[in-house]
Amino acid sequence: MMVSKSCANLFDMGSNDAFDFNQAIKSLPRVMTAPGIITDIDGVTSSDEDSNTSTTWDRKIIVANFLPLHTSKDQTNGKWCFAWDEDSLLLQLKDGFSADTEVLYIGSLKVDVDASEQEEVAQKLLEDYRCIPTFLSPDLQKKFYHGFCKQQLWPLFHYMLPICLDKGDLFDRSLFQAYVSANKIFADKVVEVINSDEDYVWVHDYHLMLLPTFLRRRLNRVRLGFFLHSPFPSSEIYRTLPVRDEILRALLNADLIGFQTFDYARHFLSCCSRMLGLNYESKRGYIGLEYFGRTVNVKILSVGVHIGRLQSLLNFPDTFTKVQEIEQRFKGKKLLLGVDDMDIFKGISLKLLGLELLLERHPKLRGEIVLVQIVNPARSMGKDVNEAREEAISIAKRVNLCYGAPGYEPVLLIDSPIPFYEKIAFYVAAECCIVNAVRDGMNLVPYEYIVCRQGTEEMDKCRGVGLELPHTSTLIVSEFVGCSPSLSGAFRVNPWSVEDVADALYQATDLSVSEKQLRHEKHYRYVSSHHVAYWARSFAQDLERACKDHYNRRCWAIGFGLGFRVVALSPSFRKLSFNHIISSYKKTHGRAIFLDYDGTLVPEASIDNTPSADIISMLNNLCSDPKNTVFIVSGRGQTSLDEWFASCDDLGIAAEHGYFIRWMKATDWESSSNVVDSDWKKIAEPVMRLYTETTDGSYIEPKESALVWHHQYADPDFGSCQAKELLDHLENVLANEPVVVKRGQHIVEVKPQGVSKGVVVEKLIRTLVNSGKPPDFVMCIGDDRSDEDMFESINSASSSNLFPAVPEVFACTVGQKPSKAKYYLEDTGEVIRLLQGIAAISTKQNKITHNQVSFVRPHEADD
């Protein structure tokens, strides 16, 4: 095993006076670059006594596009100044970790730092803030963030497609290359500081979706979580992305993937199913995707707010003053509030149109209600943002002109940055908050509003609110916002329907105090218990659970570029090489060879399933060796197999998973001893026919012993759903019949009890033993779930008293995947080459034996 260390000093550029990184980081980084299990590094060992007295450090590495810092430059001395951004989610999530957890942040600064200053800034950030900056060049930052992230991923993830050139940017390969380059820079920074067998890495949001691949390539066992804060679109939208597979496979290199809502997770799972052919399972409340032997866990939990931070701002003196100012200014009026980024997806214009319709329909509300719309600065650039701003300003002016009066404007549009405490003050004063986004990943505005309406004792005293008065709040929330499912007491609206928005506004202004109180209390219970620390703690716990088996498996790195992935297998699982099997093959005297057909001798996706001339020749060479007993063990019917292998006189065939057996061409077919009445088919076939009629692309394969319903050509999601329903249906109607119903890869099969490849292989071996020909060499090769029965049967038989002596056993699966077999071959090509190699040995030995028998002297013949 090769083990290398990553650079221990982040700033090791050959300078002798570089920062001593060992003093800042509690343990040296270690990087695994090859499969295996780390034990001792560079000969450093620890005794039991040492291990008992050593301190275990818990360290989390948080990776995001931007660091949670405010940055400015002192104009007097030209030095950079930094301060924590107390409102940053990345900073707040630390409250979910234990007190002794060390947290490192990796990300970019929101300012451009000159190259000559970068080393000094990096040292200061690491020493004072435990932050590691990724200095992207201005050109790369523009292409990466403002280009690919904001102009291509962000619109797509919010269901906006570039239908025509003036409505969005078409895919630009150069921008994607910038995205790749930026993600690699982030990965390099992580590798510089990580201790691979102790640290946890938590990557945030769509800017860094390729990061898991770069990290997994360098650190096969890295403990890696990813959380997507934005929506994940439906497969119909996501599949339009030209690099869709690369991003999906990159995400699957994480151990845990988090989403805000079930809808987003469902869309991701659907994409994995439709584009990569992966299926997921839910076990004991956890959703998992099997991906090359690794279980990629999927977590669904929305982000919360930091209650303490909001309460501290509520008690801020400037907040008291601002609240009093707002309440005095809008005294006697019902204050409605909207707080949104200037973004085409936030629905600001639709909200204003809803207010306009409300005032048109209900003249009595004119002069009584005011909507304060706070517009946060835009996070991206482009003409669409400018158009959205101009449209909102235009509608606000129109509403004020039509329905305003001297001293009264129904819309107050605040289109300039304001301090956060002022937003808090508006939350406190507003009777109703409306979030009308047409698509938003989460949106914490409703949560912040609820906490602020709950207030504090100091705030209540400032406002002159007695302790006996109830706290109230009213929310109007778009159906397309991530927080909507958790706010069951809110008025949910379709933002595209102006009438829905106007009706909700009217109902919100007409609620009784008691109903407002009930809705508020319901929401506050949820928000106060599902805060940001709860979210972070829950994610960290699930990440720890997802990574607990990392060092119990051997990791193999396969694939190139963004197609890279790690296959996690049992430590005893290894590739079956010709040199490994040859010595055993030569020295043994009785060999039993069992071969699956589809997916083993011919590719699973092959249109023509007929065996090639090379396969027939190879099988005949194997069968010609008197030491060999060779069987094809297949789920296919006896008619097809009999026809395909008609030229193989000595080949044994077990058809329909062993229901029919033929030892060689000259012998008759034998039926299973478990022959049952086929009346069950009269029950099962009509049910299967019903599902075939309602599932386009499915079909029924009738066999003499079984019925199989195939859905590989149906819609992946619908076919899988129908297969589950069919399985339940058949199990119910066939409960009293002597058959079993099983679900396989794209199939649902009904067959008699006691019929499987495992049973038939055991029967064949027992027959050989009883006939005085016990095999001392057993080889079994297969590729799918039904072949696992063969591997299990052979493994258990070899350790039982069935054999007079323990045989050499080679159970081999096709493809690197979790299996009961101890060996694997990559594909059908390797299977054929291995079998041809051992067949050549048999042919050579037969020729030598034949020549020895033929070379006899004449007088020896007379004798």
Side-chain angles (χ1 to χ4, degrees):
M1 180 183 69
M2 295 177 59
V3 181
S4 67
K5 293 180 181 177
S6 63
C7 180
N9 191 330
L10 180 61
F11 314 109
D12 187 5
M13 302 294 183
S15 173
N16 294 328
D17 57 350
F19 172 66
D20 185 3
F21 199 74
N22 294 330
Q23 295 177 2
I25 302 301
K26 293 168 181 166
S27 55
L28 278 175
R30 292 184 286 171
V31 179
M32 292 193 64
T33 57
I37 298 176
I38 288 184
T39 52
D40 302 322
I41 305 298
D42 297 341
V44 179
T45 60
S46 59
S47 65
D48 291 342
E49 182 179 356
D50 293 337
S51 62
N52 290 334
T53 58
S54 64
T55 302
T56 301
W57 299 103
D58 183 16
R59 194 163 70 150
K60 305 282 194 301
I61 300 175
I62 309 298
V63 191
N65 185 32
F66 290 119
L67 293 170
L69 294 170
H70 290 303
T71 309
S72 61
K73 200 165 192 178
D74 191 325
Q75 297 302 319
T76 58
N77 57 19
K79 296 289 186 181
W80 286 103
C81 302
F82 305 97
W84 286 116
D85 180 2
E86 299 290 344
D87 300 317
S88 171
L89 180 72
L90 299 177
L91 184 64
Q92 294 172 354
L93 62 78
K94 289 174 64 175
D95 285 4
F97 304 148
S98 61
D100 60 348
T101 299
E102 180 188 6
V103 178
L104 273 72
Y105 291 100
I106 295 178
S108 297
L109 294 168
K110 295 179 182 178
V111 296
D112 181 27
V113 178
D114 189 82
S116 62
E117 303 174 291
Q118 288 178 3
E119 183 172 348
E120 179 184 355
V121 167
Q123 287 184 350
K124 179 177 178 60
L125 289 177
L126 184 59
E127 291 172 344
D128 298 345
Y129 297 95
R130 312 299 293 148
C131 289
I132 300 159
T134 53
F135 296 112
L136 305 184
S137 67
D139 181 60
L140 178 60
Q141 177 71 13
K142 181 180 179 181
K143 290 181 178 180
F144 157 64
Y145 181 67
H146 295 291
F148 191 75
C149 289
K150 284 299 181 182
Q151 297 301 319
Q152 299 195 341
L153 284 182
W154 177 258
L156 183 78
F157 278 31
H158 289 74
Y159 288 74
M160 181 179 175
L161 295 175
I163 304 300
C164 52
L165 291 177
D166 62 340
K167 296 297 182 183
D169 295 330
L170 295 176
F171 179 79
D172 186 334
R173 179 66 63 172
S174 67
L175 297 183
F176 178 65
Q177 290 299 331
Y179 185 77
V180 173
S181 299
N183 273 252
K184 189 176 185 303
I185 291 173
F186 277 80
D188 291 341
K189 291 298 181 184
V190 175
V191 171
E192 287 176 355
V193 299
I194 191 173
N195 185 336
S196 63
D197 59 347
E198 294 178 7
D199 298 346
Y200 289 89
V201 181
W202 187 357
V203 182
H204 289 263
D205 223 4
Y206 66 98
H207 316 90
L208 302 173
M209 290 193 293
L210 299 181
L211 190 55
T213 284
F214 291 120
L215 290 179
R216 190 68 66 186
R217 177 190 295 275
R218 304 278 289 276
L219 306 158
N220 291 169
R221 290 183 175 83
V222 62
R223 300 172 177 182
L224 179 59
F226 179 92
F227 194 89
L228 184 67
H229 294 267
S230 75
F232 195 93
S234 70
S235 61
E236 293 303 310
I237 298 294
Y238 179 79
R239 70 198 304 178
T240 63
L241 184 65
V243 289
R244 60 192 190 183
D245 286 1
E246 291 89 332
I247 289 178
L248 277 184
R249 292 188 186 280
L251 289 175
L252 290 170
N253 276 318
D255 295 298
L256 177 66
I257 306 173
F259 297 93
Q260 303 273 20
T261 71
F262 173 70
D263 274 350
Y264 305 158
R266 178 169 56 85
H267 294 158
F268 170 76
L269 294 170
S270 176
C271 288
C272 290
S273 172
R274 290 173 176 273
M275 297 169 205
L276 304 181
L278 303 177
N279 296 316
Y280 70 92
E281 287 184 340
S282 181
K283 295 180 180 178
R284 296 186 179 181
Y286 295 102
I287 299 174
L289 275 164
E290 287 299 321
Y291 186 62
F292 290 95
R294 296 172 48 248
T295 299
V296 181
N297 291 266
V298 174
K299 182 174 181 61
I300 303 163
L301 183 64
S302 58
V303 178
V305 294
H306 196 291
I307 307 292
R309 169 63 176 164
L310 292 173
Q311 289 175 340
S312 66
L313 285 170
L314 284 168
N315 293 332
F316 193 47
D318 288 350
T319 308
F320 294 156
T321 305
K322 191 64 181 179
V323 169
Q324 292 171 341
E325 176 189 323
I326 294 170
E327 291 184 335
Q328 182 62 35
R329 178 179 178 181
F330 298 104
K331 189 175 182 179
K333 296 180 176 61
K334 293 182 177 180
L335 182 59
L336 313 178
L337 179 65
V339 180
D340 302 281
D341 294 344
M342 178 44 68
D343 189 312
I344 57 175
F345 301 109
K346 292 300 186 284
I348 298 175
S349 296
L350 294 172
K351 185 189 307 181
L352 296 176
L353 290 175
L355 178 70
E356 183 179 38
L357 182 59
L358 173 72
L359 295 174
E360 176 188 334
R361 289 181 172 180
H362 302 281
K364 66 178 182 179
L365 294 177
R366 299 171 191 174
E368 292 187 8
I369 62 171
V370 175
L371 171 63
V372 175
Q373 176 62 54
I374 299 174
V375 180
N376 299 323
R379 300 187 187 183
S380 60
M381 305 175 294
K383 63 179 181 179
D384 51 354
V385 175
N386 295 329
E387 289 173 357
R389 175 182 287 106
E390 292 171 2
E391 184 179 54
I393 294 172
S394 174
I395 296 174
K397 288 181 178 178
R398 187 177 73 218
V399 173
N400 288 335
L401 183 63
C402 292
Y403 302 107
Y408 167 70
E409 288 186 339
V411 178
L412 173 59
L413 193 65
I414 303 176
D415 189 24
S416 57
I418 63 173
F420 191 55
Y421 77 86
E422 288 195 19
K423 293 178 188 175
I424 296 292
F426 276 106
Y427 284 144
V428 173
E431 291 189 30
C432 175
C433 180
I434 175 171
V435 176
N436 202 51
V438 296
R439 187 73 60 179
D440 208 347
M442 184 58 193
N443 201 312
L444 295 176
V445 166
Y447 291 0
E448 293 172 348
Y449 169 69
I450 291 164
V451 174
C452 293
R453 289 292 288 179
Q454 181 68 18
T456 61
E457 289 186 18
E458 291 81 355
M459 177 60 72
D460 288 345
K461 290 176 183 178
C462 166
R463 299 177 65 203
V465 176
L467 296 177
E468 71 282 355
L469 291 178
H471 293 98
T472 64
S473 64
T474 308
L475 276 170
I476 301 173
V477 180
S478 163
E479 298 171 357
F480 304 108
V481 174
C483 64
S484 176
S486 63
L487 299 171
S488 56
F491 292 101
R492 295 197 182 104
V493 296
N494 175 4
W496 299 103
S497 172
V498 176
E499 290 190 353
D500 275 5
V501 177
D503 289 343
L505 285 168
Y506 180 76
Q507 294 177 62
T509 58
D510 199 39
L511 283 179
S512 65
V513 174
S514 60
E515 189 169 354
K516 290 180 182 179
Q517 179 186 359
L518 289 173
R519 290 171 183 261
H520 171 79
E521 290 174 351
K522 183 177 186 179
H523 289 157
Y524 186 72
R525 280 194 300 271
Y526 178 85
V527 174
S528 60
S529 60
H530 291 73
H531 43 72
V532 65
Y534 171 82
W535 167 75
R537 182 166 57 251
S538 178
F539 189 91
Q541 289 171 348
D542 279 7
L543 179 57
E544 184 176 349
R545 181 186 57 81
C547 301
K548 65 181 180 180
D549 292 332
H550 270 202
Y551 284 87
N552 295 334
R553 294 188 176 187
R554 176 174 295 181
C555 293
W556 297 91
I558 59 175
F560 299 96
L562 295 178
F564 173 87
R565 62 262 189 207
V566 166
V567 179
L569 304 168
S570 167
S572 62
F573 192 72
R574 58 189 184 274
K575 190 168 184 176
L576 181 59
S577 66
F578 180 72
N579 292 332
H580 182 64
I581 199 174
I582 188 66
S583 60
S584 297
Y585 187 83
K586 285 181 175 179
K587 69 183 181 182
T588 50
H589 304 285
R591 312 181 192 111
I593 301 173
F594 304 104
L595 305 172
D596 173 47
Y597 185 68
D598 293 283
T600 301
L601 296 182
V602 295
E604 189 72 48
S606 178
I607 297 176
D608 183 9
N609 300 114
T610 307
S612 65
D614 288 341
I615 292 176
I616 296 296
S617 174
M618 175 267 295
L619 290 173
N620 279 327
N621 288 337
L622 283 174
C623 294
S624 65
D625 191 330
K627 298 179 181 180
N628 292 347
T629 300
V630 184
F631 261 87
I632 296 291
V633 185
S634 172
R636 287 189 175 271
Q638 57 178 339
T639 303
S640 299
L641 296 174
D642 191 11
E643 178 183 340
W644 290 345
F645 297 104
S647 57
C648 299
D649 294 340
D650 297 321
L651 177 68
I653 298 177
E656 298 189 20
H657 297 297
Y659 188 82
F660 295 103
I661 301 172
R662 190 183 70 184
W663 284 85
M664 57 182 61
K665 186 177 179 180
T667 61
D668 295 329
W669 286 97
E670 305 171 12
S671 296
S672 169
S673 58
N674 297 320
V675 176
V676 297
D677 196 327
S678 60
D679 286 349
W680 60 267
K681 288 186 178 181
K682 298 176 182 178
I683 303 173
E685 191 167 7
V687 176
M688 284 189 174
R689 196 179 305 118
L690 172 65
Y691 282 81
T692 304
E693 292 171 356
T694 57
T695 311
D696 189 33
S698 66
Y699 64 93
I700 301 172
E701 179 189 2
K703 297 180 180 178
E704 189 164 339
S705 67
L707 286 175
V708 186
W709 186 76
H710 295 261
H711 62 91
Q712 66 262 42
Y713 302 122
D715 176 272
D717 287 340
F718 185 57
S720 179
C721 178
Q722 290 289 80
K724 291 178 183 177
E725 288 293 325
L726 176 60
L727 183 70
D728 290 341
H729 196 157
L730 289 172
E731 285 179 340
N732 286 331
V733 299
L734 297 173
N736 297 321
E737 299 294 330
V739 294
V740 293
V741 185
K742 285 192 174 183
R743 188 177 176 194
Q745 187 172 9
H746 304 305
I747 66 164
V748 175
E749 183 175 22
V750 185
K751 61 183 180 181
Q753 294 174 349
V755 175
S756 72
K757 289 186 177 182
V759 172
V760 72
V761 163
E762 183 179 353
K763 178 181 178 180
L764 294 174
I765 292 175
R766 194 176 295 278
T767 302
L768 289 173
V769 172
N770 292 338
S771 62
K773 301 177 181 178
D776 51 359
F777 175 99
V778 179
M779 183 171 71
C780 175
I781 307 178
D783 75 300
D784 62 17
R785 194 177 302 177
S786 64
D787 299 314
E788 294 296 316
D789 293 337
M790 277 200 296
F791 304 146
E792 184 176 21
S793 177
I794 288 174
N795 290 334
S796 60
S798 63
S799 59
S800 67
N801 297 324
L802 178 60
F803 294 93
V806 179
E808 297 272 6
V809 175
F810 296 92
C812 176
T813 188
V814 181
Q816 297 185 40
K817 57 181 180 287
S819 173
K820 294 171 183 174
K822 293 184 178 180
Y823 301 93
Y824 74 90
L825 292 169
E826 292 288 357
D827 51 34
T828 57
E830 285 198 355
V831 174
I832 298 301
R833 286 191 291 273
L834 177 75
L835 294 175
Q836 287 175 335
I838 61 177
I841 293 173
S842 287
T843 302
K844 184 177 180 181
Q845 288 181 339
N846 289 341
K847 287 182 179 179
I848 293 174
T849 303
H850 177 74
N851 291 337
Q852 289 175 342
V853 172
S854 301
F855 188 70
V856 181
R857 293 178 181 178
H859 70 274
E860 293 176 338
D862 294 339
D863 292 339

